[in-house]
Amino acid sequence: MRPFLLPTRRCLKLDPFLSVPCRFPRRRSSDMATVNKTAHPFDKTRLEALLNRRFFYAPAFEIYGGVAGLYDYGPSGSSLQANIINEWRKHFIIEEAMLELDTTIMTPAPVFETSGHVARFADWMVKDSKTGDVLRADHLVKNVLEARLAGDKEARGQAAAPKEDEKDKKKKKKAAKAVAVQLADDVVKSYEFTLAQLDNYSGAELGELCRKFDIRNPDTDNEVTEPQQFNLMFASSIGPTGQHPGYLRPETAQGHFLNFSRLLEFNNGRVPFASAQIGRSFRNEISPRAGLLRVREFTMAEIEHYVDPLDKSHARFKDVRDTVLDLLDRDVQLSGSTAPTKMTIGEAVDKGVVANETLGYFMARIHMFLLKIGINPKRLRFRQHMANEMAHYATDCWDAEIENSTGWTECVGCADRAAYDLTVHSKKTGHPLVVRQALKEPVVTEKECPEFNKKNFGKTFKQDAGVIQKHVEGLGEEELLKIKGELEQGKTTITIDGKSFELSPEVLRIERRTFKQSIREYTPNVIEPSFGLGRILYTLLEHSFWSREQDVERGVLSLPPLVAPTKVLIVPLSAKEEFDPLVQEISSKLRRAGIFSRVDDSNTSIGKRYARNDELGTPYGITIDFASVQNHTCTLRERDIMDQRIASIDEVIATVTDLVEGTIDWEEVCRRLPAYDGVQAID
Amino acid sequence: MRPFLLPTRRCLKLDPFLSVPCRFPRRRSSDMATVNKTAHPFDKTRLEALLNRRFFYAPAFEIYGGVAGLYDYGPSGSSLQANIINEWRKHFIIEEAMLELDTTIMTPAPVFETSGHVARFADWMVKDSKTGDVLRADHLVKNVLEARLAGDKEARGQAAAPKEDEKDKKKKKKAAKAVAVQLADDVVKSYEFTLAQLDNYSGAELGELCRKFDIRNPDTDNEVTEPQQFNLMFASSIGPTGQHPGYLRPETAQGHFLNFSRLLEFNNGRVPFASAQIGRSFRNEISPRAGLLRVREFTMAEIEHYVDPLDKSHARFKDVRDTVLDLLDRDVQLSGSTAPTKMTIGEAVDKGVVANETLGYFMARIHMFLLKIGINPKRLRFRQHMANEMAHYATDCWDAEIENSTGWTECVGCADRAAYDLTVHSKKTGHPLVVRQALKEPVVTEKECPEFNKKNFGKTFKQDAGVIQKHVEGLGEEELLKIKGELEQGKTTITIDGKSFELSPEVLRIERRTFKQSIREYTPNVIEPSFGLGRILYTLLEHSFWSREQDVERGVLSLPPLVAPTKVLIVPLSAKEEFDPLVQEISSKLRRAGIFSRVDDSNTSIGKRYARNDELGTPYGITIDFASVQNHTCTLRERDIMDQRIASIDEVIATVTDLVEGTIDWEEVCRRLPAYDGVQAID
C-alpha cells in the first residue's frame, strides 16, 4: 500500500503461478476430518461465477457497459466487508485505544505537492501509434516477453508453463503472437535479464526496450509511442472558480499527519499513540485488470503509530514475542530464494532482521488478525522490501503477502516511515508537528554569551550599535571565545561589511553562562500498517472456496462465523403461513442475541436452499417443519459437514449463539444436542 | 437530501431564528430532576469552542489554511459517527433484513446524464465584477435584502431581530452596509415579496433583481455579473486517455438503481424489498459556510424500498400506526402557518395527508431512530414538500427537519420517487429494470390478428410483400377492424408511401384471437429515506449541550450511552504504578463486556479530568484510589448529575454494562450500589 511502489507487479515476478491447493485446516471437531475440501482442485472460473451469481461483487455500472477497475459490493460482499471492518476496529482500534479519524477524500493540491505524490505517484504509459489505445509500459514489456519465452519453451518441447486459468492463457497467447517459436539462446537470456530488472527501468529505458525487442501492442500489432508519465491521482477542482485544484486521496495517511497536533493534544501530549482510519481511496490505474486485486477505488484501513525515534520499543511486545511468522527477508531474496524462514518475532527483532519492536509488534498483530478472519496461515508470509524498492525515507518495510491464484499479493504494508511526512508538512506550512516532552532531569549546558553595557555601547557607536550587536550575537562559540580572549587583553576589533569597529571591555563582556533545558522537542517517527481491505476480502474468498467431494457443482464458502455475511439461515419447510409465527419467533430471538439471520422461504427444495446458502458462506441453518409446529423444536445444521442436530427452539438459539461467539465448537454441539434422523431437511 | 432541491435555504426561510432552549428531557430517575440543564441559555460559540477543543471535528487541511466545506472528524466525532451508523444499521438494515450495498463513488458521466444531474444539479452563481469572487446568487439576494429589512426595523425603533449569535449578526450587518436605514413602505413590501418567492426565480430573474435593487458584493461594494449556472458535481476523468469523464456521486441512490436486477434476483425475485447503503457523497457547493450543515463531502445513509405501484401498503405498518408525529403538511404551509399538527401516522395515512402506508411506515421509523440516538422530540418535525418544491416525478415527499441554532434543517428526506429512476436507466441502457410477477389467475385478453396466406400473398405482391406485411402488422385494433369489415365485403385497399395495394380475403384474413397472460411485468416504485449523517450528528451535539448551573464554563454533552463516543472513563487517582494492575483489569473486563472505555491518567486533578470528559460526553466514570488497591473496589459516577456510587470492581462492571445496554437506569443503580461519601473523587 505504499504510494510509490506498485505491488502486484512485484508479487507476480516472485512466483507468478505457484498454486497450492485451497485448503484451510481450521480448529474443528474430529467430525470435520470427514470432509475432504481438496477433493477438487481450486477452480477460479467456478469461484468467480459463484461470486457473481451470489452478488458478492460485480462490475460497477454494468448495465452501462461497466468501467474497468470499479466494482460494486452486493449484499454478501458488503456484509463480509462490514464484518471484516468490525473485527479490524475491535482488534486494532479498541484493543489498543487508538484514536480514530475520518478525514476527507477530496484534498487540495498543495498537500500532495508537499508529500511528493504530484511529482512521483505515477506510472509509465505508451499509446498505440495508430489507435491511441493506452497501455502500461512495464506491463506491456512483461506480458510480451513472458509470452515469447513461453512460446520458446513450447517449441523446445519443454514442460508446459505451470497451470494457469484458461482466460489468462488466452490473453498471453494473444499478447505474444509468437506461439511455439523457438528463440536463440542469447535472446532467451536477454529476455530473462530484462524481466528480472523490470522494476528498475526508467521511462526512456522502457521505450528503448520496446524498440530493441520490437514490442508492439499485441491487440493491433501496431508500434507504440515513447513512454509518458501518467499521474495515478484522480484530479478535480474545488469550488466554482477553477483556481483550486484538488485530488482524490490515493491513501488515507496524509489526513492523519495533517491532524497530528490535534491528535497529540487529544492524547494529553503523550507519545507513543496511534491514529487509525478506515476509508475510501482512489488510484486512476492505467489499465486495471486483476479483479478486486487492482482497482481504481478501494477501502483501506490505515494505522499511523507515532513513536519516539530514540525508543521504538513497544510496551506489549512481550505479549506477541513468541508468535511464529514466515519471514522472507531482504538477504534471502538477494540470494535468489523465495523460501521464507519460520521465526518468532522476538528472535527476528533480537537478531535485527526486523528493525524494531514496534514494527515487529504490528507484524505479529497483523498476522493474528488475518488468521482470525480466516486467511490460511500456510499462504501468508511477510516479505521485506528490497533496498531499492523502499521509499527513500523509510527505515524498514515488510508486506504481509497472501498467496492466491495470481501469485503472492501484498495485502498489508507495514513500514517504518521515520519522520518524513511530519517533517515535510511542518516545513511547508510552518506549523510545528513535534512532541514536547518534559525531561525528568533537565539537561544542563554551558555557553559563552555576549553582554553589552547598553549605556556605554549606545553612546560609543550610536546608529551602528544595532548592527554590531546583531553581528556579535550571531557569532559561534569559537569566535566568542577568541573575542573574550582579546577583550581580556584590552580590546577587540570586528569588521562588518568592510567597516571596522573597536570594542573595549567597557562596552562588551563575554560571560560563560549555564543553561537548563527541561523540555525536549522532537519529530516522532511513524510506523504505518496499511491494509487493502478489498485484496484481503478477495484472497479470503479464494481461501474459503471448495466443492463437495461428491459434486463439483456444489461450491461452499467456508467463511468463519466471525465474518460470514449471514450467521444463520432460517428455512421453513415451505412458505405456508403456519410456519410464520415460528419464523418470526426465531428471527426476533436471534436478533435480540445479536446474531444476523436471513429467512429463505422461496419455492425450492430445502436442499437447494441450503446449497445456495453454502455458496453464501452461511455457517448455520435452522430448519422448521411440521414437527416444529407441534413440538416447538427445530434442527441445526453445520455448513461444512452438513451434520444436523435437533432440540427445542430455545436450546438451538442458545447453542448457535455460543457457536457464533466462538465459545463452543461443533463437537460440543454434538454433546449437547441429539443427531437429527428425519428426512425432510436432509440436503 | 434530494438532488434538485437545496434544503437549508428553504429551512431558513421558514423560521430563521426560532430559538428553543436546548433541553432534552430523557427518561431518567427522579434524581435527575435536580439538574437544571437550562440554567444557561444555549451558547453556540461555547459549543463550537468545545467541539474544536475536544476534536469532534475541525476544518480539513487546517495547517494548509483549510478549505471551505471540508471537515475532518477527530476521535470523538469519528466514534460518535460510527455509533450512529452502527445503530442505523441495526435499526434499519438488520431489523428489516435490507440488502446492503457498497457501490463506487466515481461514476461515469452517462449515468448522471440519464438521471438528469448533468443538466439540472446546479446553482446560480454571480461573480464580483472586479475581484472575480464568486457568490451564490440566491444567497446574495437573500442576505442583502434581509439585512436591509433588519436595518429598516432598527431605524423604525421596532423590536430587534430575534436572538442570533454575534458572528452571524456581524456578517449580516456587513452584508447590508445599510444599518438602521429606514426604507419606504412600498420598498419593504417589495423586498418581502421577493424573499418569499426566492426559490422560484430563474438565473435571469436573479440577475434582474440584483440590478433592480442595486445588490452588490457586500465585501467590496462592487457590482456583480449576470448569474451563470454552476453544476454542483465534482468532475474528474477516468483512465489515462481523458476520454471518459466521470463525476463523484452527489448521492448514493444511483448505485442502488443500477444494481436493481441483481438485487431483485438476490431477493428471489420478490417485491417489496429494500436496499441500503452508507457512504460518502460529494457536492461542490459554491460557497459553503454553515459548518457541518452544508459541506462539500459528507456521509449519507440511503434506503431504496421497492414496492408494487398498485399496492403501497406495508406489512408492518400496524406496528407503527399509533406513533404520533409533528406533521407540517402542504396545506398548512400554503395557509402561511408553520405550526405542525400532532397526528398518529395511522390517521395521517387514513386521511391522505401522507400518501401511502410505506411512506408513513418509514416516517415513523425515522422518528424512532432519531429519538433513540438522542434528538429532542420537541425539536423534530416532518414537513411536506410543496408542489413546486418536489421533483416532478415524485408522488409525495416529507423531510424530517431538526431545529437548531440556524433554524429548522432538513436532516432526512423521505420521498416516493415513483418509477422515475428505474424507468430512465432502463430506457437508456435497454436493460429491463422490472419485476416479473407470476399471476395467480392468468389475465385473458382478445384481439384482432392479421393472418397472411403466405403462398398467395407472396405470389401476388412479390418484392412488395414484406413492406405490406410490416404495415398491416403495425396497425391498431380499430384499423384492423375496419379492414376486417372491408375484407368481409370482398376487398380492402391500403396505401403505403403513396402507393396503393388491393388485398383480398385470399391473401389476408383478420381473426379474433384469445391471449392468456400469466406473468405481470412492472417497474416498481421507490420509497427513499435519505439521511444526511453529518447534519444529524451536528444537531444532536446542539441538543446535547448544556452548562452546569453553578458554572457556565463547565460544558456537558449529555449524549445517550448508545452513541456516546466513549462509554466509560477510567480514572486512577494518579499515574502511579500501583494503580496499573487495576486499570488493566477494569479495561480488559470492560472490553470483554463489549464496552468501549478510555483511561485518563494525565497529571491533573480528578475533577478536571471529569470536566474534560463531561465535554466529551462520556456518560460514566470509574475512579480508582488507594482504597481500591486495598479493597478491590471502585466508584461509579454519572455524568449529568455527578452522583457517585461505590462497590466491588466486578459489581461496578456488571452495573455499568447494564446501564450501557439500557436495561437499567440510574435509579436502579442507586438501589444496587451505596452512595460514595469519600472526598478524593468528588468533582
Side-chain angles (χ1 to χ4, degrees):
Chain A
M1 294 289 111
R2 268 314 65 244
F4 309 134
L5 299 166
L6 300 140
T8 301
R9 192 197 316 171
R10 185 179 62 237
C11 306
L12 282 171
K13 198 177 62 188
L14 281 172
D15 203 346
F17 303 110
L18 202 155
S19 170
V20 163
C22 176
R23 184 157 198 274
F24 176 25
R26 296 216 307 291
R27 212 161 34 78
R28 279 288 170 88
S29 84
S30 52
D31 282 21
M32 303 309 245
T34 61
V35 176
N36 179 2
K37 291 189 177 178
T38 56
H40 303 285
F42 173 74
D43 185 335
K44 190 174 184 173
T45 313
R46 262 183 216 290
L47 170 63
E48 283 179 342
L50 181 160
L51 297 178
N52 192 285
R53 187 166 62 241
R54 299 304 169 210
F55 200 7
F56 276 81
Y57 60 90
F61 319 109
E62 202 177 13
I63 67 172
Y64 277 83
V67 175
L70 294 179
Y71 291 89
D72 289 344
Y73 287 17
S76 323
S78 296
S79 292
L80 179 57
Q81 180 183 245
N83 294 340
I84 291 173
I85 286 175
N86 200 27
E87 190 51 36
W88 193 91
R89 198 174 252 128
K90 270 193 212 152
H91 185 85
F92 291 103
I93 299 185
I94 296 183
E95 181 68 30
E96 322 239 0
M98 291 175 179
L99 307 186
E100 190 166 356
L101 283 174
D102 190 12
T103 70
T104 65
I105 292 166
M106 181 60 70
T107 308
V111 172
F112 289 125
E113 283 159 13
T114 305
S115 69
H117 286 82
V118 169
R120 282 171 290 165
F121 190 63
D123 278 340
W124 293 101
M125 64 174 187
V126 294
K127 287 188 182 169
D128 182 298
S129 56
K130 288 182 186 154
T131 63
D133 287 349
V134 176
L135 304 158
R136 208 173 114 173
D138 57 341
H139 285 183
L140 173 69
V141 171
K142 179 176 159 25
N143 290 340
V144 170
L145 296 192
E146 279 183 353
R148 287 186 194 166
L149 286 174
D152 170 76
K153 273 202 177 160
E154 218 171 312
R156 288 173 193 244
Q158 292 174 2
K163 255 192 181 177
E164 48 185 307
D165 78 274
E166 280 307 307
K167 225 164 117 199
D168 275 7
K169 217 167 178 174
K170 260 185 223 154
K171 251 189 226 156
K172 224 152 258 177
K173 277 194 184 166
K174 200 178 165 198
K177 302 241 174 193
V179 182
V181 170
Q182 188 166 340
L183 306 169
D185 288 358
D186 61 331
V187 171
V188 170
K189 267 190 195 153
S190 87
Y191 283 6
E192 281 168 349
F193 177 82
T194 304
L195 287 171
Q197 300 284 322
L198 206 56
D199 286 354
N200 291 331
Y201 292 116
S202 68
E205 287 167 335
L206 287 167
E208 226 167 85
L209 288 172
C210 289
R211 287 192 300 276
K212 181 172 157 195
F213 295 136
D214 191 32
I215 292 173
R216 293 153 175 268
N217 178 0
D219 291 334
T220 62
D221 211 33
N222 296 331
E223 286 182 6
V224 295
T225 62
E226 273 305 292
Q228 288 171 278
Q229 216 162 23
F230 176 68
N231 193 294
L232 297 183
M233 288 191 296
F234 281 98
S236 191
S237 178
I238 305 172
T241 63
Q243 287 161 7
H244 300 289
Y247 294 103
L248 304 188
R249 66 179 178 202
E251 56 172 16
T252 77
Q254 305 303 321
H256 300 235
F257 302 138
L258 299 187
N259 284 301
F260 175 73
S261 300
R262 286 185 172 277
L263 292 166
L264 180 64
E265 196 193 329
F266 191 90
N267 205 48
N268 298 325
R270 294 192 186 170
V271 166
F273 73 94
S275 54
Q277 178 164 205
I278 303 156
R280 211 57 80 87
S281 292
F282 294 77
R283 299 185 183 183
N284 198 4
E285 298 283 350
I286 291 174
S287 52
R289 266 180 198 167
L292 289 192
L293 296 182
R294 181 174 296 281
V295 291
R296 286 177 166 151
E297 181 176 338
F298 50 96
T299 301
M300 305 178 86
E302 291 192 301
I303 295 165
E304 310 293 336
H305 181 93
Y306 309 92
V307 64
D308 185 340
L310 302 181
D311 177 12
K312 296 188 180 178
S313 66
H314 195 290
R316 298 171 88 170
F317 188 69
K318 59 183 189 311
D319 301 344
V320 303
R321 186 163 251 294
D322 296 331
T323 311
V324 177
L325 303 181
D326 282 346
L327 299 179
L328 182 55
D329 70 36
R330 198 176 285 154
D331 295 337
V332 169
Q333 293 172 67
L334 272 179
S335 76
S337 164
T338 57
T341 313
K342 275 200 190 303
M343 204 185 281
T344 67
I345 192 67
E347 193 187 343
V349 170
D350 292 345
K351 285 189 175 165
V353 176
V354 169
N356 57 64
E357 274 191 15
T358 301
L359 198 61
Y361 177 75
F362 278 112
M363 286 166 65
R365 293 282 300 163
I366 291 164
H367 176 87
M368 287 159 71
F369 170 73
L370 293 173
L371 263 51
K372 215 189 256 182
I373 62 166
I375 292 294
N376 181 346
K378 294 192 178 162
R379 305 181 75 187
L380 170 62
R381 72 181 183 194
F382 284 83
R383 194 182 67 79
Q384 189 174 31
H385 276 207
M386 311 291 283
N388 65 350
E389 192 182 358
M390 208 155 54
H392 64 276
Y393 49 78
T395 308
D396 194 6
C397 183
W398 290 81
D399 288 341
E401 295 186 336
I402 303 176
E403 198 202 20
N404 59 80
S405 59
T406 72
W408 288 90
T409 301
E410 175 204 356
C411 291
V412 188
C414 194
D416 183 338
R417 292 172 77 114
Y420 174 76
D421 307 276
L422 295 176
T423 307
V424 294
H425 286 301
S426 182
K427 210 171 142 191
K428 178 74 182 178
T429 61
H431 184 98
L433 299 173
V434 293
V435 175
R436 290 168 55 82
Q437 178 192 28
L439 293 171
K440 279 181 188 162
E441 306 230 347
V443 175
V444 178
T445 47
E446 292 189 347
K447 68 177 182 186
E448 303 295 333
C449 300
E451 302 259 315
F452 291 93
N453 178 318
K454 283 208 177 127
K455 205 176 141 194
N456 294 344
F457 182 57
K459 227 194 312 192
T460 312
F461 295 101
K462 300 199 169 73
Q463 76 277 16
D464 290 328
V467 180
I468 297 168
Q469 185 174 347
K470 203 175 160 195
H471 175 84
V472 172
E473 283 172 355
L475 294 174
E477 189 82 355
E478 214 165 294
E479 289 163 304
L480 288 173
L481 271 173
K482 187 173 153 255
I483 292 177
K484 189 179 188 176
E486 288 169 353
L487 285 170
E488 276 163 15
Q489 304 299 319
K491 65 175 168 75
T492 183
T493 306
I494 59 167
T495 308
I496 305 167
D497 288 341
K499 202 171 166 189
S500 287
F501 302 97
E502 191 169 281
L503 284 83
S504 69
E506 278 70 49
V507 298
L508 175 64
R509 287 167 65 184
I510 307 290
E511 304 271 358
R512 188 155 195 87
R513 298 199 174 276
T514 304
F515 292 89
K516 234 181 180 177
Q517 194 200 347
S518 53
I519 298 283
R520 175 184 158 225
E521 201 177 271
Y522 66 87
T523 304
N525 280 13
V526 175
I527 312 284
E528 180 196 73
S530 172
F531 296 69
L533 294 178
R535 289 182 177 190
I536 292 172
L537 183 142
Y538 176 74
T539 52
L540 173 61
L541 288 168
E542 274 206 7
H543 290 198
S544 305
F545 177 67
W546 57 288
S547 295
R548 301 263 181 229
E549 191 168 359
Q550 60 277 29
D551 181 3
V552 69
E553 298 295 334
R554 295 201 54 183
V556 185
L557 283 178
S558 285
L559 293 167
L562 184 74
V563 294
T566 306
K567 313 303 181 194
V568 179
L569 177 75
I570 303 170
V571 194
L573 191 61
S574 74
K576 284 216 174 89
E577 271 178 23
E578 55 196 305
F579 297 123
D580 282 355
L582 287 186
V583 168
Q584 292 306 324
E585 182 190 340
I586 295 172
S587 296
S588 83
K589 282 183 173 169
L590 284 172
R591 200 155 52 225
R592 232 172 298 143
I595 310 279
F596 184 55
S597 68
R598 280 195 190 276
V599 180
D600 186 350
D601 57 0
S602 59
N603 293 327
T604 56
S605 72
I606 285 189
K608 274 198 185 140
R609 284 185 266 165
Y610 273 133
R612 176 159 67 202
N613 272 274
D614 291 346
E615 291 195 340
L616 288 164
T618 309
Y620 307 109
I622 290 179
T623 312
I624 303 164
D625 58 12
F626 293 109
S628 306
V629 179
Q630 281 192 328
N631 313 327
H632 212 253
T633 57
C634 60
T635 67
L636 178 63
R637 172 192 186 263
E638 204 278 345
R639 171 194 61 206
D640 293 0
I641 56 168
M642 303 191 292
D643 183 25
Q644 279 195 311
R645 302 276 145 181
I646 186 161
S648 75
I649 285 175
D650 287 340
E651 270 179 292
V652 164
I653 285 173
T655 303
V656 87
T657 304
D658 289 345
L659 276 169
V660 170
E661 287 175 354
T663 54
I664 61 167
D665 60 10
W666 195 255
E667 208 162 1
E668 173 60 25
V669 175
C670 294
R671 275 192 290 271
R672 278 194 199 174
L673 313 180
Y676 175 65
D677 55 4
V679 286
Q680 278 155 332
I682 281 179
D683 289 81
Chain B
M1 295 291 108
R2 269 309 75 243
F4 309 136
L5 299 167
L6 301 142
T8 301
R9 193 196 318 173
R10 184 180 63 235
C11 304
L12 282 170
K13 198 176 63 189
L14 279 173
D15 204 349
F17 304 110
L18 202 155
S19 171
V20 163
C22 177
R23 185 158 195 275
F24 176 27
R26 298 217 304 287
R27 210 164 33 79
R28 279 289 169 88
S29 83
S30 52
D31 283 19
M32 304 308 247
T34 62
V35 177
N36 179 1
K37 292 189 177 179
T38 56
H40 304 284
F42 174 73
D43 184 334
K44 190 175 184 173
T45 313
R46 263 182 217 290
L47 171 63
E48 282 180 344
L50 182 160
L51 298 177
N52 192 285
R53 188 165 63 242
R54 299 303 170 212
F55 201 7
F56 277 81
Y57 60 90
F61 319 108
E62 203 177 12
I63 68 171
Y64 277 81
V67 176
L70 294 179
Y71 290 89
D72 288 344
Y73 286 16
S76 323
S78 298
S79 293
L80 178 57
Q81 180 184 246
N83 294 340
I84 292 174
I85 287 175
N86 200 28
E87 190 51 38
W88 194 91
R89 197 174 253 127
K90 269 192 212 154
H91 185 86
F92 291 102
I93 299 185
I94 295 183
E95 181 68 31
E96 322 239 358
M98 292 176 178
L99 307 186
E100 191 167 356
L101 282 175
D102 190 13
T103 70
T104 65
I105 293 167
M106 181 59 72
T107 307
V111 172
F112 289 125
E113 283 160 12
T114 306
S115 68
H117 286 82
V118 170
R120 281 172 290 165
F121 190 63
D123 277 340
W124 293 101
M125 63 173 185
V126 293
K127 286 189 184 172
D128 182 297
S129 57
K130 287 181 186 155
T131 64
D133 287 350
V134 177
L135 303 158
R136 209 173 115 173
D138 57 340
H139 285 183
L140 173 69
V141 170
K142 175 176 163 24
N143 290 340
V144 171
L145 296 191
E146 279 183 351
R148 287 184 192 168
L149 287 174
D152 171 75
K153 273 202 174 160
E154 221 171 309
R156 289 173 192 244
Q158 291 175 2
K163 256 193 182 175
E164 47 185 311
D165 78 276
E166 280 306 306
K167 224 163 113 200
D168 274 11
K169 216 168 178 172
K170 262 186 222 153
K171 251 188 228 155
K172 223 152 258 177
K173 278 195 182 167
K174 201 177 163 197
K177 304 240 177 195
V179 181
V181 170
Q182 190 166 335
L183 306 169
D185 288 359
D186 62 329
V187 171
V188 170
K189 267 192 192 147
S190 87
Y191 283 6
E192 281 169 351
F193 177 81
T194 303
L195 287 170
Q197 300 284 320
L198 207 56
D199 285 356
N200 290 332
Y201 292 116
S202 68
E205 287 166 334
L206 287 168
E208 225 167 85
L209 288 172
C210 289
R211 286 192 299 277
K212 178 173 160 197
F213 296 135
D214 191 30
I215 291 174
R216 293 154 178 265
N217 179 0
D219 293 332
T220 62
D221 211 33
N222 296 329
E223 286 183 4
V224 296
T225 61
E226 274 305 293
Q228 289 171 278
Q229 215 161 25
F230 176 69
N231 193 294
L232 297 183
M233 288 192 294
F234 281 99
S236 192
S237 178
I238 305 172
T241 62
Q243 288 162 4
H244 301 290
Y247 294 103
L248 303 188
R249 66 179 179 203
E251 57 171 16
T252 76
Q254 305 304 320
H256 300 236
F257 303 139
L258 299 188
N259 284 301
F260 175 73
S261 300
R262 284 185 173 276
L263 291 166
L264 180 65
E265 197 193 330
F266 191 90
N267 205 48
N268 299 324
R270 292 190 185 171
V271 166
F273 72 95
S275 55
Q277 177 165 206
I278 303 157
R280 210 59 79 86
S281 292
F282 293 77
R283 297 184 185 185
N284 198 4
E285 297 284 350
I286 290 175
S287 53
R289 265 177 201 168
L292 290 192
L293 297 182
R294 181 174 295 280
V295 290
R296 285 176 165 151
E297 180 175 341
F298 49 96
T299 302
M300 306 178 85
E302 292 192 302
I303 295 166
E304 310 295 336
H305 181 94
Y306 309 93
V307 64
D308 184 340
L310 302 181
D311 177 12
K312 295 188 181 179
S313 66
H314 194 289
R316 298 171 88 171
F317 187 71
K318 60 185 188 311
D319 302 342
V320 302
R321 183 164 254 291
D322 296 331
T323 311
V324 177
L325 303 182
D326 281 346
L327 299 179
L328 182 54
D329 69 37
R330 198 176 286 156
D331 295 337
V332 170
Q333 293 171 69
L334 271 179
S335 77
S337 165
T338 57
T341 314
K342 276 200 189 304
M343 202 185 279
T344 67
I345 192 67
E347 194 187 342
V349 170
D350 292 346
K351 285 188 176 166
V353 177
V354 168
N356 57 63
E357 272 190 14
T358 300
L359 197 61
Y361 176 75
F362 279 110
M363 287 166 64
R365 292 284 299 163
I366 291 165
H367 176 86
M368 287 160 72
F369 170 74
L370 292 173
L371 264 50
K372 214 191 259 183
I373 63 166
I375 292 295
N376 181 345
K378 295 194 176 160
R379 305 181 74 186
L380 170 62
R381 71 182 185 194
F382 284 83
R383 195 182 67 77
Q384 189 174 31
H385 277 206
M386 312 290 284
N388 65 348
E389 192 182 358
M390 209 157 49
H392 65 274
Y393 48 80
T395 308
D396 194 7
C397 182
W398 290 81
D399 288 340
E401 295 186 335
I402 303 176
E403 198 203 17
N404 58 81
S405 59
T406 72
W408 288 91
T409 301
E410 175 205 355
C411 291
V412 188
C414 193
D416 183 336
R417 294 174 74 115
Y420 174 75
D421 306 276
L422 295 175
T423 306
V424 293
H425 287 301
S426 181
K427 207 171 147 193
K428 177 72 184 179
T429 61
H431 184 99
L433 299 173
V434 293
V435 176
R436 290 168 56 81
Q437 179 192 28
L439 293 171
K440 279 180 188 161
E441 304 229 346
V443 175
V444 178
T445 46
E446 292 190 348
K447 67 177 183 186
E448 303 295 333
C449 300
E451 304 258 316
F452 291 93
N453 178 319
K454 281 204 178 128
K455 204 174 140 194
N456 293 345
F457 182 55
K459 225 188 324 191
T460 315
F461 295 101
K462 299 201 171 74
Q463 75 277 19
D464 289 327
V467 180
I468 297 167
Q469 184 173 349
K470 205 174 158 197
H471 175 86
V472 172
E473 282 172 354
L475 294 173
E477 190 79 357
E478 213 164 296
E479 290 163 302
L480 288 174
L481 271 173
K482 184 173 157 255
I483 292 177
K484 191 178 186 174
E486 289 170 353
L487 284 170
E488 276 165 12
Q489 305 298 320
K491 67 178 167 73
T492 183
T493 306
I494 60 169
T495 310
I496 305 169
D497 290 340
K499 202 171 166 190
S500 286
F501 303 95
E502 191 169 285
L503 284 81
S504 68
E506 279 70 48
V507 297
L508 173 66
R509 289 168 61 183
I510 308 290
E511 303 271 356
R512 187 155 197 86
R513 297 198 175 279
T514 303
F515 293 88
K516 229 185 186 178
Q517 192 197 351
S518 54
I519 298 283
R520 174 183 159 225
E521 200 177 89
Y522 66 88
T523 303
N525 279 13
V526 174
I527 313 284
E528 180 196 71
S530 172
F531 296 69
L533 294 178
R535 290 183 174 189
I536 293 172
L537 183 142
Y538 176 75
T539 51
L540 173 60
L541 288 169
E542 275 206 7
H543 289 198
S544 304
F545 178 65
W546 58 287
S547 295
R548 300 266 182 228
E549 191 167 359
Q550 60 277 30
D551 181 4
V552 68
E553 298 294 334
R554 294 201 53 180
V556 185
L557 283 178
S558 284
L559 294 167
L562 185 73
V563 294
T566 305
K567 313 305 181 196
V568 179
L569 176 74
I570 303 170
V571 194
L573 190 60
S574 72
K576 286 216 175 88
E577 272 179 19
E578 55 198 304
F579 297 126
D580 282 357
L582 287 187
V583 169
Q584 293 306 323
E585 182 189 336
I586 295 172
S587 298
S588 84
K589 280 182 173 169
L590 285 172
R591 201 155 51 227
R592 230 172 300 143
I595 311 279
F596 183 55
S597 68
R598 279 195 190 275
V599 179
D600 186 349
D601 58 0
S602 59
N603 293 325
T604 57
S605 72
I606 284 189
K608 275 197 184 143
R609 284 184 266 165
Y610 273 133
R612 177 159 67 205
N613 271 274
D614 290 347
E615 291 195 342
L616 288 165
T618 310
Y620 307 109
I622 290 179
T623 313
I624 303 164
D625 59 11
F626 293 109
S628 307
V629 179
Q630 283 191 327
N631 314 327
H632 213 252
T633 57
C634 59
T635 67
L636 178 64
R637 173 191 186 264
E638 203 277 344
R639 172 194 59 207
D640 294 0
I641 55 167
M642 302 191 292
D643 183 26
Q644 281 194 309
R645 300 277 145 182
I646 187 163
S648 76
I649 285 176
D650 287 340
E651 270 178 294
V652 166
I653 286 173
T655 303
V656 87
T657 304
D658 289 346
L659 277 169
V660 170
E661 286 174 355
T663 55
I664 62 168
D665 60 10
W666 194 254
E667 208 162 4
E668 172 61 25
V669 174
C670 295
R671 276 193 288 273
R672 277 195 202 175
L673 312 182
Y676 175 65
D677 54 5
V679 286
Q680 279 155 333
I682 280 178
D683 286 82

